[in-house]
mmCIF file of all heavy atoms in Angstrom:
data_model
loop_
_atom_site.group_PDB
_atom_site.id
_atom_site.type_symbol
_atom_site.label_atom_id
_atom_site.label_comp_id
_atom_site.label_asym_id
_atom_site.label_seq_id
_atom_site.Cartn_x
_atom_site.Cartn_y
_atom_site.Cartn_z
ATOM 1 N N MET S 4 76.785 112.611 37.628
ATOM 2 C CA MET S 4 77.303 111.300 38.023
ATOM 3 C C MET S 4 77.118 110.265 36.903
ATOM 4 O O MET S 4 77.800 109.248 36.883
ATOM 5 C CB MET S 4 76.539 110.823 39.286
ATOM 6 C CG MET S 4 76.785 111.687 40.532
ATOM 7 S SD MET S 4 75.918 111.106 41.999
ATOM 8 C CE MET S 4 76.756 109.560 42.254
ATOM 9 N N TYR S 34 88.646 75.202 29.368
ATOM 10 C CA TYR S 34 89.357 73.962 29.702
ATOM 11 C C TYR S 34 88.837 73.317 30.980
ATOM 12 O O TYR S 34 88.731 72.088 31.071
ATOM 13 C CB TYR S 34 90.863 74.233 29.844
ATOM 14 C CG TYR S 34 91.598 74.298 28.535
ATOM 15 C CD1 TYR S 34 92.238 75.472 28.106
ATOM 16 C CD2 TYR S 34 91.688 73.194 27.715
ATOM 17 C CE1 TYR S 34 92.920 75.523 26.909
ATOM 18 C CE2 TYR S 34 92.375 73.222 26.530
ATOM 19 C CZ TYR S 34 93.004 74.405 26.105
ATOM 20 O OH TYR S 34 93.681 74.439 24.937
ATOM 21 N N LYS S 49 78.924 53.551 31.915
ATOM 22 C CA LYS S 49 79.312 52.423 32.731
ATOM 23 C C LYS S 49 79.990 51.342 31.892
ATOM 24 O O LYS S 49 79.519 51.040 30.779
ATOM 25 C CB LYS S 49 78.111 51.835 33.463
ATOM 26 C CG LYS S 49 77.490 52.751 34.499
ATOM 27 C CD LYS S 49 78.438 52.961 35.669
ATOM 28 C CE LYS S 49 77.800 53.832 36.767
ATOM 29 N NZ LYS S 49 78.734 54.052 37.885
ATOM 30 N N VAL S 92 102.954 43.634 45.456
ATOM 31 C CA VAL S 92 103.346 44.637 46.445
ATOM 32 C C VAL S 92 104.857 44.746 46.429
ATOM 33 O O VAL S 92 105.579 43.721 46.593
ATOM 34 C CB VAL S 92 102.864 44.243 47.820
ATOM 35 C CG1 VAL S 92 103.337 45.292 48.855
ATOM 36 C CG2 VAL S 92 101.326 44.104 47.851
ATOM 37 N N ALA S 211 95.933 66.854 28.847
ATOM 38 C CA ALA S 211 95.837 65.457 28.385
ATOM 39 C C ALA S 211 94.561 65.226 27.602
ATOM 40 O O ALA S 211 94.580 64.559 26.538
ATOM 41 C CB ALA S 211 95.942 64.500 29.579
ATOM 42 N N SER S 335 82.758 98.467 35.141
ATOM 43 C CA SER S 335 83.718 97.614 35.825
ATOM 44 C C SER S 335 83.014 96.516 36.595
ATOM 45 O O SER S 335 83.448 95.343 36.571
ATOM 46 C CB SER S 335 84.591 98.461 36.799
ATOM 47 O OG SER S 335 85.421 99.337 36.089
ATOM 48 N N ASN S 377 102.490 80.124 44.308
ATOM 49 C CA ASN S 377 103.428 79.405 43.419
ATOM 50 C C ASN S 377 104.830 79.990 43.516
ATOM 51 O O ASN S 377 105.834 79.235 43.548
ATOM 52 C CB ASN S 377 102.964 79.446 41.989
ATOM 53 C CG ASN S 377 101.758 78.540 41.741
ATOM 54 O OD1 ASN S 377 101.576 77.516 42.417
ATOM 55 N ND2 ASN S 377 100.907 78.916 40.809
ATOM 56 N N GLY S 385 114.161 75.784 45.226
ATOM 57 C CA GLY S 385 115.564 76.036 44.931
ATOM 58 C C GLY S 385 116.445 75.717 46.152
ATOM 59 O O GLY S 385 117.554 75.223 46.014
#
Side-chain angles (χ1 to χ4, degrees):
M4 297 180 64
Y34 278 118
K49 294 293 184 180
V92 177
S335 293
N377 287 331

